[in-house]
């Protein structure tokens, strides 16, 4: 291994790379990780010096508070390689800002951009060979923070670990997605942590999603916890509804994650001249629109899949198939956003950041 320092980050390079053992044409999402990771600990009220080092397991005390009280947050991002071999990030400031909002909500320390963004750039620069060219190829980026302080007293930790790990990815495609509209289980509640990207939000979904899978559905469209009448999110994604030629999506709230893909698609849609209405959409509206033929599309939006069309939904034991739409809003918006991310169209929004 070799050690050097760059911009206040120690870099310990792996003695060899495993990149030649990876089949980049047959990747399973999130299973393979690059040679290096970034780690930085928070102790005695301050962040220590970050280190980029070989990807490896690490030890924690069995009483570490992450295991007992769930102080754990994360982000999901991607790096893209353009045809000229340059590597780019998509709106990293938005992920950094949301990460710190999640940290605040879970009583965790905020992370400075010099560690989150600058550290990420240095890590990706070291691993740029893991970012492959070609539309659909990306390097998935997972920044996360966990409570590492020991003790089982029910109180926030005083010690934390921030890390970034990287995973090469192909286009994320789930096939046809059919959903059930939730009428009992909730993803989040008012006053809760639904707007934070907290690990516990995702584990809480696993059981109701398992029940949906057993009925032949891939995901759940979550509804508000109080009345189960307002449509909120689809699985782990924000959700859009096209009724006639207007695109609807719920406003962000304490229950709904402020998705970076969501807000980007809204801006692109408006620039494309698509009417966008950000408001609560009722289950009854969706059912009525499906019955009278005005419901044209439903699709999820998130980092992994970008846009995931939904082919039908079930509510109150009735299944509603969506029509096949030529030149759908979902396909138009995904094309525009991915073209921008891969440098195939001009970035008029100033969203791309070069590594």
């Amino acid at each position: 291994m070799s050690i050097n320092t760059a911009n206040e980050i120690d870099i310990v390079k792996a003695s060899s790379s495993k990149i030649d053992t990876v089949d980049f044409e047959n990747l399973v999402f999130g299973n393979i990780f690059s040679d290096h990771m970034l780690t930085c600990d928070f102790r005695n009220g301050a962040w220590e010096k970050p280190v980029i080092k070989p990807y490896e397991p690490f030890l924690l005390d069995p009483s570490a508070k992450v295991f007992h009280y769930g102080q754990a947050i994360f982000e999901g991002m991607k790096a893209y390689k353009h045809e000229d071999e340059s590597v780019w990030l998509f709106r990293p400031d938005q992920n950094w800002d949301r990460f710190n909002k999640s940290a605040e909500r879970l009583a965790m320390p905020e992370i400075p951009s010099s560690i989150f963004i600058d550290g990420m750039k240095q890590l990706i620069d070291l691993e740029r060979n893991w970012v492959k060219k070609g539309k659909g190829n990306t390097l998935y980026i997972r920044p996360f923070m966990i409570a590492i302080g020991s003790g089982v007293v029910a109180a926030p930790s005083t010690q934390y670990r921030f890390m970034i790990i990287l995973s090469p990815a192909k286009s994320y495609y789930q096939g046809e997605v059919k959903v059930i509209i939730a009428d009992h289980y909730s993803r989040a509640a008012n006053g809760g942590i639904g707007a934070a990207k907290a690990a516990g939000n995702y584990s809480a979904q696993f059981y109701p999603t398992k029940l949906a899978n057993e009925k032949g559905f891939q995901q759940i469209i979550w509804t508000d916890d109080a009345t189960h009448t307002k449509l909120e999110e689809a699985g782990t994604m924000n959700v859009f509804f096209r009724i006639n030629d207007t695109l609807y999506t719920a406003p962000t709230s304490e229950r709904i994650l402020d998705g970076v893909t969501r807000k980007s698609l809204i801006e692109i849609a408006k620039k494309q001249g698509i009417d966008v209405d950000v408001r609560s959409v009722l289950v009854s509206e969706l059912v009525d629109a499906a019955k009278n033929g005005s419901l044209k599309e439903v699709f999820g939006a998130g980092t992994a899949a970008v846009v995931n069309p939904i082919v039908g939904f079930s509510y109150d034991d009735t299944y509603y198939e969506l029509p096949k739409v030529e030149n759908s809003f979902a396909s138009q918006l995904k094309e525009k956003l991915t073209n921008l991310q891969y440098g195939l169209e001009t970035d008029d929004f100033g969203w791309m950041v070069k590594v």
Side-chain angles (χ1 to χ4, degrees), residues 240-248 265 268-270 272-277 294 296-299 307 309 325-337:
F240 288 82
F241 310 95
R242 176 186 173 185
I243 299 176
N244 290 319
D245 286 329
T246 300
L247 203 56
Y248 297 88
L265 293 179
I268 291 172
K270 289 179 176 178
Q272 293 288 102
I274 296 172
D275 289 333
V276 180
D277 194 348
S294 60
K296 306 300 183 186
E297 298 179 65
V298 180
F299 57 89
V307 171
V325 178
E326 294 292 330
N327 196 29
S328 66
F329 284 180
S331 61
Q332 291 181 50
L333 294 174
K334 182 175 184 178
E335 182 78 3
K336 293 294 291 186
L337 180 55

Side-chain angles (χ1 to χ4, degrees), residues 185-207:
Y185 293 104
S186 299
R187 194 195 79 87
N190 283 330
I193 59 172
K197 208 161 173 63
N201 287 344
Y202 295 79
S203 59
Q205 302 186 66
F206 292 160
Y207 177 68

Side-chain angles (χ1 to χ4, degrees), residues 297-330:
E297 298 179 65
V298 180
F299 57 89
T303 299
V306 185
V307 171
N308 203 158
I310 292 167
V311 300
F313 69 91
S314 176
Y315 179 70
D316 197 22
D317 293 326
T318 301
Y319 179 71
Y320 301 89
E321 187 82 19
L322 272 68
K324 304 292 184 184
V325 178
E326 294 292 330
N327 196 29
S328 66
F329 284 180

Side-chain angles (χ1 to χ4, degrees), residues 21-330:
T21 69
V22 176
D23 181 359
F24 283 90
E25 295 304 314
N26 295 286
L27 294 168
V28 177
F29 184 82
N31 273 21
I32 301 293
F33 296 92
S34 70
D35 295 317
H36 298 87
M37 61 186 187
L38 180 144
T39 182
C40 185
D41 286 354
F42 181 91
R43 301 177 190 272
N44 301 314
W47 287 102
E48 298 178 347
K49 192 174 187 180
V51 178
I52 292 173
K53 58 193 239 182
Y55 184 95
E56 62 185 2
F58 57 88
L59 295 175
L60 284 181
D61 192 290
S63 71
K65 288 183 182 285
V66 65
F67 299 138
H68 302 274
Y69 302 112
Q71 279 184 292
I73 60 173
F74 68 94
E75 277 295 325
M77 310 165 61
K78 288 178 178 177
Y80 308 84
K81 181 168 281 187
H82 293 184
E83 285 302 312
D84 64 357
E85 300 290 336
S86 60
V87 177
W88 298 76
L89 299 171
F90 177 68
R91 307 189 75 177
D93 59 314
Q94 298 295 310
N95 294 93
W96 170 60
D97 180 65
R98 188 173 65 183
F99 191 85
N100 281 333
K101 288 177 179 176
S102 298
E104 181 181 17
R105 182 61 184 84
L106 271 73
M108 304 170 83
E110 294 187 4
I111 189 97
S113 64
S114 59
I115 298 174
F116 188 99
I117 295 180
D118 296 344
M120 182 183 298
K121 286 181 177 179
Q122 289 190 48
L123 176 61
I124 294 169
D125 186 41
L126 182 64
E127 305 284 63
R128 61 175 51 243
N129 288 340
W130 288 82
V131 195
K132 299 302 182 182
K133 287 194 300 184
K135 200 169 184 181
N137 295 319
T138 60
L139 186 64
Y140 183 77
I141 308 163
R142 174 53 64 90
F144 64 100
M145 190 199 309
I146 58 174
I148 60 172
S150 59
V152 294
V153 174
S157 178
T158 59
Q159 300 177 24
Y160 297 89
R161 179 161 296 162
F162 171 76
M163 300 186 68
I164 303 175
I165 56 178
L166 309 174
S167 178
K170 298 286 287 183
S171 292
Y172 188 85
Y173 179 66
Q174 291 183 317
E176 288 196 346
V177 175
K178 299 179 180 180
V179 299
I180 291 179
I181 294 179
D183 58 6
H184 174 70
Y185 293 104
S186 299
R187 194 195 79 87
N190 283 330
I193 59 172
K197 208 161 173 63
N201 287 344
Y202 295 79
S203 59
Q205 302 186 66
F206 292 160
Y207 177 68
T209 302
K210 174 178 174 287
L211 297 180
N213 294 161
E214 290 171 353
K215 294 180 179 179
F217 296 87
Q218 287 71 46
Q219 281 293 354
I220 296 172
I221 290 187
W222 303 102
T223 51
D224 68 291
D225 64 300
T227 68
H228 292 293
T229 61
K230 299 174 183 177
L231 299 158
E232 300 205 322
E233 293 193 331
T236 59
M237 308 176 79
N238 296 116
V239 64
F240 288 82
F241 310 95
R242 176 186 173 185
I243 299 176
N244 290 319
D245 286 329
T246 300
L247 203 56
Y248 297 88
T249 191
T252 56
S253 68
E254 290 180 316
R255 303 183 307 273
I256 298 176
L257 191 70
D258 185 14
V260 179
T261 303
R262 170 193 174 276
K263 67 177 68 177
S264 303
L265 293 179
I266 289 172
E267 290 194 48
I268 291 172
K270 289 179 176 178
K271 188 170 182 180
Q272 293 288 102
I274 296 172
D275 289 333
V276 180
D277 194 348
V278 179
R279 67 164 176 83
S280 294
V281 178
L282 301 178
V283 176
S284 58
E285 286 184 83
L286 194 71
V287 171
D288 288 345
K291 287 179 177 178
N292 65 33
S294 60
L295 180 63
K296 306 300 183 186
E297 298 179 65
V298 180
F299 57 89
T303 299
V306 185
V307 171
N308 203 158
I310 292 167
V311 300
F313 69 91
S314 176
Y315 179 70
D316 197 22
D317 293 326
T318 301
Y319 179 71
Y320 301 89
E321 187 82 19
L322 272 68
K324 304 292 184 184
V325 178
E326 294 292 330
N327 196 29
S328 66
F329 284 180

